[in-house]
Amino acid sequence: METGQMVVLLNLQNLYESLYDALNQYYVYLAGQKYVDLGLGTHRVKCRVHPNFRLIVIEEKDVVYKHFPIPLINRLEKHYLDISTVLDKGQRETVKALKKWVHEFTAANTEEHFISKQKYSPSDVFVGYHSNTCASVVLQTTERLKPVCPPSELMSCVKREAQLALLNCATPDSVIRLCNLMGLFMADSLANIYFKQQQHTSFADFLRAHVHAGSGYQTVFTEVTTFSRLLTSADAVCLEREVQGKAQRPQILFLQQFDTEYSFLKSIRDFLDATSGNKVLIIQTDFEDGSQNAQLIASAKYTVVNEINKVDLGEVSVFVYFIMKLSRVEGGMSYVGFHGGLWQSVHIDDLRRSKDMISDMTALQNVTISQIFCEDSGKTKGELHAGCGSWSSLPVNGEQEENKVGVETPVPEGEILDTTVLLRTCVQSAVGMLRDQNEDLSRSRKRIKILLGLLSKEDASFLRITKARLSNLLKKQEENSLYPKNWVLREASNLSALQEAGTFRHTLWKRVQNVITPFLALLIAVIDRNGNLELLVRPAAEWVTNLWMFIFSDTKLLTFSVTSEPEIILVQNNMMVSADTGNEMPFSWRIKEYLDEMWLEAQYIQNTEGENQAEKFVDIFQKTALGKFISALTEEERQMLFQCYITDFIVLTIGVSSLEELQCLRIAFLSCIEEWKATSPRREETVPSLPWVHLGYNQFKSRLQNFSRILAVHPRVVDYLINQEGYGIPQSEMVLDVLAAMICAEELESQVQTAHPKIWLQKVKNLRMPIEFLCKEKDLQRSGKVRGVRRVCWNRVFSMSLFVEHVLFGINTLMPEFENLVKKYTLHLAECFQHDSDMKTHPTFVAVMKVLRQCKDEVSNRLYRYGVKSCPICLGEPKDPVCLPCYHVFCQKCIRMWLVPAQMHCPYCRVAVEDVHLNVSVELRDAIARNALFRQRCNNFFIDVVTTMCFKDNEPPEAEVIQELLNLLFVHRSLLTGSDHPTIYTKFLSPFNDEVDEIPIIRSVMLKLLLKYSFNEVKNDVQRYLSQVEHSQILEKNDKKELYLLFVNCLEVRVLGRFKSLVEEPFVLLPQIRLYLDSPLQFGGQYHAGFISFNMCFQQTDVMTKFIQNSEVLNSPDLQHFAASLVMNALPSLTVDPQSFSHSGALIEMAVHTTAVLLCGQNPVLQPLRNLAFHPHTMEHSFLPTMPEDIMAQARAWEGVATLRWYTCPNGHPCTVGECGLPMETSHCPDCGAQVGGQLHKPLRGFQEFRNEDRTQTGHILGDVQHRKTMGVSDRAMSPVVFVLIRLLTHLTMLLGATKDPQSLQRIIKPPVHNSVSFLQQHIREDLAQLTKILGKSVDETITILHLVLSRMAEYGPVRFDNVLSTKEKRNKWEEVVANTIIVPELEDLDKKILKLNRQIQEDERISSNPIVKIVYGDPVTFLSQLPKDSHIHHSKMWSCRKRISVENLGHVVQQKNAKDTVPLLWKFLQKETELRLVKFLPEILALQRDLVRRFQNTAAVKQGSIRDFLKEPLSDVMRDLLQRRVNVFLSVWNKLRSSLDTNGEIKLPKGYCDADLTLDSKLEVLLPRRQGLGLCSTALASYLISLHNDFIHSVNKHIKEDDRYFISPSEVADLHLISYELERDLIPLILSNCQYSMEKGGETLQDFDLERIQQQVISKFLQGKPLITLKGIPTLVYRHDRNYEQMFSDVRNKLDQSPLPSSVMNMISGELQSYSDVCDALSITEITLGFLAMAGENAEMLLTDYIENVLQMGDQTNPHVLQALRRCHLKHNIALWQLLSTRKSEQLLRLKRDPFVDINTAYKAELSPEIAKLLNTFLVHSRLETFLQELHEMIVLKLRRVQAVDEFRPIWSLKESLIPYLDAKDSELATELQELFPDEILLCHAIATWKAAVLFKREHRES
C-alpha cells in the first residue's frame, strides 16, 4: 500500500471487514499524503496510501452473491470476467461449436424406448462442467497446440482435442446414453475412445498408462473425480504392481487426516525426500457442497504444486493425483473442474478394476440379461442359445431345439460378466425371500450353505443347469417386455439407481442382481421343496445325483412359472414326519404330480378300460424321457428308486406321524402293489415301475387310508406289527390292515375287564369305523380273509361294547355291588360268538338271549332273597308290593281285592292267609325299582344288538331268528282260576316277560326291521306276523282296519326310503298310490273352489254391487272397493280363471283372506303389514319381518360377551379382548393361526378393533327363490313353523303391495327384479312347501293352518308398534309379539283343530259331492258299490294324508316335544342340516384351489377374465372335464351358502360380494383363494365349510367326552374324513327307521320318533370318529406383498433382545458411511440380516460382521468399507442400526435433491408456515436432534406409509400427541422433551416438512 504496488486478494474473506475504509477510499490527508485506517483485531492503525496503489478482490460470482455482506459488495467497483473475454474470434467460434456438441451430447433422448424422460444438464454429463468450461478448454488446447499445429488446421484440431478433453471427464452412463442417440455422428467411435483409449475402466489402468507413456522426466498433475469409494492401503499394493519398474510405491494421503496445513506440508516434503526414482503421490478427499470444501482443495493443490516446484527433482518424474469423491446430484454439484494450467482433469467412475464384470460397458448393450447367462455367450451371431451349454451328458426331452433363440448382434469374446460370482452374491437375498410352510427357522441357513457349495466352480453341472434355467426364465419375461436389450440404457437413465449404487458399473451389477434374485428365489423354492436340496449334499448313490440333475435339467418335466418379483415366496414342505426328514427320491412331489396327470390322460384314452388303461399308463411312462432314464439304470438302482418313491409317495398322500408308522405303511403299500401286480399282465416282471405305485394306490386307496387311521387311533399297533414274524417282508397280498384290526380287536377284548369302561368304549368307537370298513370291503369278503376279523374278533368286541355301553357303564354308581357280576357276563357274552358266528344265526342269537336272561335273573335274585317276580294277579310288576307269609309278592291293591272273607288264601299257592297286615315292603319296593332299572338297561342293549347286528347289511337274519323276535312281541301267560285276563299279551321287543301291556298294542318295530329288505325275502315272515296278530284274538274286528293301516304306513316308509319309481311287488302299489295323491296341490284347489263362484251373470253382479254400496257392515270405502273388486273379478294380478284355478286358487284365497283381515282387523300388530300391503312407499327403508340379519351383531350383544371388546385378526376372523379391552399378550387366531393380540395395550399390526357395524340390510333381501331351496330356515330364536308362517304373511302382504303400488314395492326388493308379482308368488309357494315339510301335513291342511292364523290376527290386541319397523330391534320385537300372542297359541292342539275343520268340510254340502272329498273324508263304499263290504282296506283312513316325514318335520317334532335339551346334538344337526350336507364337497373345492394355486402361485398381477374364459384355455380334455366338474361344484356350493357367508361367515366379505349368484361368466378371481379382493370368496367358502365341520365334530367330542386330538390339514382331507351323507339315501331312511307306529286296542295308529336313538345313530354314522381340520394349510394364492417392517421388528424382538446403538458407534458409522451408495449398501445388508433374524433368531451378543461373514457367508460380496463401518455393531443393535441407516439414506436423498417420501400420502406433506418454523427451530436448538430425527423418520416410514394411514392417523391430529405414544411404547427419553418443548401448533400433516426442516437445521449446524 505504501509502495504503490497492486494487491490481489483471493480467498481472504476474513480480512475484508478490516479493509472497509480502504475499499471506501475513506482517506485522511496529512501533509499532502493520504492515510487510511486499517482494523487489525482490536487495534486500529493508520497506513499511508501511495497514489499508484490498487486493491483487487477476486472471488467467484456465487460466493459474492451468497456470502458477501451487502455493504461490502456496495463498496467495491464490480467487474464480471470470464475466459471468453480473452478469446479471439476463431476461438469463440470453436467455443460455440463445442457448446453445441456438449448440448447434443447431453440431450440424449430415451423417450422412444419408453424410459422416463430425464432432463440432463452438462454438469450431469461432464463432471465439474461450468459456464466457462468450453472457453477454458479451448484456450488451454489452443496454447498447447499452437506450437505444433499449422494455423490452417489449428481450430479443427483444437475442437477435436477439446472434445476429447471434455470426454475425459464424462460419466460412463452419459456415454451409453450417447450411443443410443440416433443421428449423432461418431457416437460409437466416441464410446470406443472413452472405454478403450482413455483408460476410464479403473485408476490402476489409468496410472499404468500414465507412468509407462511418459518419455523423459516430467511432473504430471492430474485431478481425478470419481463416484466410487476412495482408495485404501490395500489398493496401494495393487497400484505398486502396476508401476513396478517405473516408479516407487505410490503414496496415498487423505486430506481429511490432516488437522493443520503444516502437517500436510510435512507429509508432502517427507514424500519428496523419502526415496529416489519416479514418485507417485495420490491425495484423496471427499468433496461436499460448499465453498469451504472447494477452498480447502484449492489450497491443498496450490501447496502441492508449490512444494514440488521448490524441490530440485533432477532426473525424477513426479505424478500427482488429486482424487475427489463426488456424489451424484441432479444438476451437478458445486464442484468446478477443468481448471487448466498444470492440472489435467479426468473422471474415473470406478477407481477399482472389476474381476467380475467387463470394463467396456458397450459390450453389455444389445445383450439381454438372459443372454448374459447363456453358457455359450462367446459365440457369434446365430449360435447363442438360451440354454445352449449341454446341461449334462444326460438325455433331455428334446427341448434343446425348442429353446434355440438367435441373437442379432455378435457378443464379444470373453465373459461379459462372471455369472457364477453374481449368483453367489444373490443367494442370501433370494433365500431371504423364502418362507417355509412348516416355519422351519433353521432351514434358511442350511439352504445358504448348500447353495454356496453347489454354486462353486467345482460343481459345474448344477451351476450350468441353474444358469440355463435362469436364462430361460429371464427370456420368458423378456418376451413380454418392451426393448429387453435396452436394460443398460435404462439404468444409465435411472438417476435414482445411479445415486444408490454410486458407480455405473455397480449400478449395472445391482440391476442384474435385482432381476436375478426373485427368479433364483423361485428356482430355490421349487428345487428345495420337501428338503429336496439335501439329496445333493447327503452321501447318496450316484443314481440319486444323476436323477436329480436330470429332472432339474428337463424343462418339460420341471417347469417354472415366470413371476414379477414377489416379496415372499412360500416353500412347500409335506415331509413333516420328523424334524430332519426330507424326500428320499429327487423331486418326488413333481414325479407324483406328473404321473397323476399322466394317469388322468391314460384314463381318457378311448377304447381302453381296466387293465388296458393300466397297461397304456405304464407304456406311456416308459416312453417319456424320465421313463427312459430310469430304464437305463441297473436293476438294483431301479429297485432302490422304487423303494424311495414309495416312501415319499406315502408321506405325500397319507398323513404320517412317526417313522415307525411310515415303515408300517410302506410294507402295507408294497403288499398292495404285489396284490395288484398278481392280477395284472405284468405279474412276471421282477423290476418294478413307478406307475405301479399309482395303480396300486388307486386300487387300495381306501384301505391304505383306513390302515393309516387304525395306526393313528391305536399307535401301539405299530409295536405289535413290528414284532410279528416276517415283518418287513412284503406279502403277496395286503393283510397288514387286517392283522392290525385283529390285533386291535384282541387287545380290546383282553382289556375289557381291566380298562375303565368309558376309555375302553371310546377306543371301540374310534376303531369302529376303520374296522367295519374292512368288514364291508368286497375284495376281502370275496377272498375270505376277513372272516376271522369279522365273525370272530370284531363281532365279539362290538357286542361286548354294546353290553358295556348299555349295561356295565355307570353301574358302579347305580349298583356298585353288581359291577363284577356284569363284567363276568360281559365275558360270557363274548363266548357266544365263536366259530364264524354272528347275530343273524339262530344259535348265536339264542345264546345271547340266554346270557342276557341269566344275567338279569341273577341280578333279580340277588336284589331280593326270594327273587323279584311279577304280580300273579295283574301279571305286571308289583306296585306297592306286599309279601305274604308264603313269600309270594302281590300289588297291595290286587291282594286287597283278592282277599275277601270267602277267599283268604294266597292266589298263587293257595296257602291260607291269617289276618295279616298288608303293609308295603320298602325293601321290596326298592328292589323292584332297581330290578326295573337293570331290566331297562338290558332291554336297551338287546334293542341295540338286534338293530345293529341282526338287521345289519343287506341280508336278513335266519328265519328262526325272525320267528324268535316275533315271538318276543307276545307272551303267553297261565291264568289264575277265575281271571278274566286273556292268555296272550303284547309287550315291548324284549327277551324278558316281566312287563306286558295292559291294553294290547301292536307295534311296527318288527315290520320296520323286516321291510328293510326285499319284500320277496321277508313276505312270509310279515304274513306270519299279521296272521299271528289276527288269530291271537287280542284285537276287535274294527281294530283290524288300523292294523292294516299300520302295515301300509310301514310299506310307504320303505318306498320313500328306497326312492324307486316302480316296485316289483304288487302289494306295494297301494302306498305308491297314496304317495302320489299326497303330492302338493294335486287336488287342493278343487274343493276350496267352492268359496268363489265362477259364472256370475250380469244381473247377479248388479245386485251384488248395489248390496255392497248399501251395506252397513262394509262401512269403509276401502272395504266396499275390495268387495266390489271380488264380485267383478277385478283384483289386479289376482283375477280368477276357471282353467287355472287348481294351481293358483289356494294362493288367491290366501291373498283375499289376508286383504280382508288387514281391512277389517283392529289389532295394532297388523299396521306394519297394512303399510306393506296398501302403502309400500312408507316401508322402503324398513327392516322387513324374517329377513336375515347379521349374526355377529347379535353375538356382540350376548350375555357374557357384551363387556368384551371385539377385534379381527389379519384375515378377518373375530376375536375378543377382556378386562380393559386393550391387548397385553400375543396369541394365535383359533381359526387361521395368524398372530393376534399385542403388548402393553398396543395391538399388533393387522389386529384391528372390530368396527361396530351391523351388516343387517333393509328391504327384502332373500334373492331368487332357487337360492331359498337350500338355505337354512330360521335364524331367530323361534321355531321354524312360526318363522315361516310370519314370512308367508309378509310375502302375502307384499304381493298385495305389488298390485297396489308396484314401483314402490320393487324398490323394497334387493337385488331388483323385473316382475315383482311373479317373484313374490314364487316365494309364497316356497313358503308353503317349507311349511308342508316342517308340519308333515298335506298342502290343504297347511293352507288351513294359515287361514286359522289369519282369523286369529283379526282379533284385537293391546300392543302398539312402530308402524314402519324402522330399526332391526323394532322388527325383532314385532316378530316376537306376533309369534307369542297369535301364532304359538293357534298352533296348540293343532291336530284337533284340523280334525274339526275336516269334519266341517265333510259336512259342507257345497263340496261334499266331490269324489276325492268322499274318499278322503267319507266312506268310499257308499258310492262305490263294487267295493267289498267290511273291508279292512277300503275306508277313508287308508286314503287320508298322513304326516310326511322330513328333516324339517323332525325339527318340528323335537320342538313340540321340548326335546332340545334332551337331544341337543340332533337339534343342532337339524338346524344346520341344509348347510351340513354341503361339507362333503370340501375335497373337490380344496382340490380345485390347489390346482389354481399351482397354476397361478406367486404371480404378480391378478388373473383377469371370466371363469368360462379360463376353462376355454388350452388344456387336455380330461383336465378340462375335471376342472369343469370342480368349478361347477364350487359355484353350486357358493350359491347355496352365499347368504350365510355374508351374515354368519367368520371372514368378513366386502359389501356386495354375496349379493348375486356366481356363474361361469363371473370373474375368475372369485375362484382364486386369496386373503384379499375377490379371492376372499374362495378362501371364505373353504374356511366356512371347515368351520362348519369342526363345529359339529367338536360338539360331538364334547358330547361323548372325547378329546379333540385327531387333526388333519386341508391337504390331507379325503371323503372318509368328512361329515358326508346323502339326504335321500342316508338321512331320511335313518329317520324313517326310527319312526315307530303303534296301535292300541280300540284306538288309532300313533306315530312316534325315537329321538334319542336318531341322535345316537346320526352321531355314530355321520359324525363320530371324524378328525378336526386345521385352517392352517388352506391353499392360498400369494401375490406381491409390501415388506412389513413392523411385523419383522416384532419377530426379531421376540427372538432376541434389542438395544439402542451407543452414540460413539453411531457417530463412527455416520462418519465412515458418508456416501449415499455406502449407506444403501449398509442398509441392504441390515435388512437381509433382519429378515433372517426374524425367522431364526441368534445370540444377541454376536458381532454383526461375524453373522454376515460366518452365518450368512456374505463377506465376499459385501463392501469391505461397509463391513469396517459396522465392525462394532452386535446383533442386538440391528433394529437401531436399521433406524440409523434408513434415516441417513433419507438425509442423503434430500441432499441429492430427491424426495425420500415419494410414496407417503400428500396429506402429510403440508408446508410449515414461517411462524411454526420459528417455533420448531427453538425446539431443535434444545432437543436431542439425532434421536428426534430417527424416531420421527421411523414413524413416518412405518406408520404413515400405510395405504390406510389417513384413517388411522388423521392429518389434523397433533404431531406431538401422535409421536409421544409411539415413543412411550419404546421407553424413549425423547418423549419427555417432546411433551415439554415441542410446539402444539405442528400437526401430523406437517410431519414430512418437520423432518426435512430438522435435517436442514442439522446440516447447517454441522457446517457452522
Side-chain angles (χ1 to χ4, degrees), residues 542-661:
E542 187 182 351
W543 68 264
V544 176
T545 308
N546 290 343
L547 179 61
W548 204 107
M549 292 299 174
F550 171 78
I551 295 171
F552 188 27
S553 64
D554 191 333
T555 54
K556 290 184 177 176
L557 180 59
L558 191 66
T559 56
F560 299 87
S561 56
V562 178
T563 63
S564 299
E565 302 183 25
E567 282 288 345
I568 295 173
I569 296 176
L570 191 68
V571 184
Q572 295 185 34
N573 191 348
N574 307 102
M575 301 284 176
M576 298 183 195
V577 183
S578 65
D580 56 346
T581 54
N583 53 345
E584 293 192 10
M585 179 178 177
F587 297 98
S588 51
W589 57 272
R590 178 60 197 124
I591 294 171
K592 180 182 177 298
E593 286 178 0
Y594 183 57
L595 286 165
D596 282 340
E597 291 162 8
M598 198 180 293
W599 172 237
L600 277 173
E601 297 292 344
Q603 288 174 295
Y604 207 69
I605 296 171
Q606 291 184 341
N607 305 322
T608 58
E609 55 186 46
E611 288 183 2
N612 292 335
Q613 278 183 347
E615 281 299 293
K616 196 76 179 172
F617 178 34
V618 176
D619 290 342
I620 291 170
F621 176 72
Q622 299 292 5
K623 291 172 186 173
T624 62
L626 179 63
K628 290 175 183 174
F629 175 87
I630 293 173
S631 300
L633 298 174
T634 65
E635 188 171 322
E636 183 185 354
E637 287 172 342
R638 287 163 67 189
Q639 285 283 5
M640 289 171 63
L641 183 146
F642 186 73
Q643 296 293 335
C644 292
Y645 183 60
I646 281 183
T647 303
D648 287 354
F649 187 91
I650 291 168
V651 179
L652 288 167
T653 314
I654 307 167
V656 179
S657 59
S658 69
L659 292 171
E660 293 76 16
E661 187 179 328

Side-chain angles (χ1 to χ4, degrees), residues 435 567-568 1242 1245 1681-1693 1720 1723-1731 1734 1774-1775 1778-1779 1781-1782 1785 1799 1833-1839 1841-1842 1862:
R435 293 291 177 272
E567 282 288 345
I568 295 173
K1242 188 170 185 293
R1245 183 174 183 186
H1681 290 287
D1682 287 329
R1683 176 163 267 176
N1684 185 345
Y1685 284 107
E1686 279 188 278
Q1687 185 62 49
M1688 190 195 293
F1689 291 168
S1690 172
D1691 292 342
V1692 170
R1693 289 190 181 102
C1720 290
L1723 184 60
S1724 173
I1725 192 70
T1726 304
E1727 287 177 347
I1728 290 173
T1729 309
L1730 277 170
N1774 232 36
I1775 292 178
W1778 178 90
Q1779 194 181 33
L1781 293 173
S1782 61
K1785 180 180 177 182
D1799 51 352
H1833 182 268
E1834 185 181 295
M1835 193 187 92
I1836 291 170
V1837 170
L1838 298 190
K1839 301 293 185 186
R1841 186 171 273 165
R1842 296 182 195 165
Y1862 188 71

Side-chain angles (χ1 to χ4, degrees), residues 18 77 527 558 572 578 583 838 948 1080 1315 1542 1660 1812 1882:
S18 302
E77 180 183 334
I527 65 175
L558 191 66
Q572 295 185 34
S578 65
N583 53 345
D838 66 13
T948 55
N1315 185 342
D1542 193 21
S1660 61
I1812 295 178
I1882 299 179

Side-chain angles (χ1 to χ4, degrees), residues 1334 1443 1448-1459 1647 1649 1651:
I1334 297 167
K1443 283 191 175 182
E1448 295 84 356
N1449 176 228
L1450 185 61
H1452 182 57
V1453 170
V1454 172
Q1455 279 198 311
Q1456 277 190 325
K1457 288 189 168 189
N1458 288 323
Q1647 182 190 58
F1649 290 95
L1651 296 179

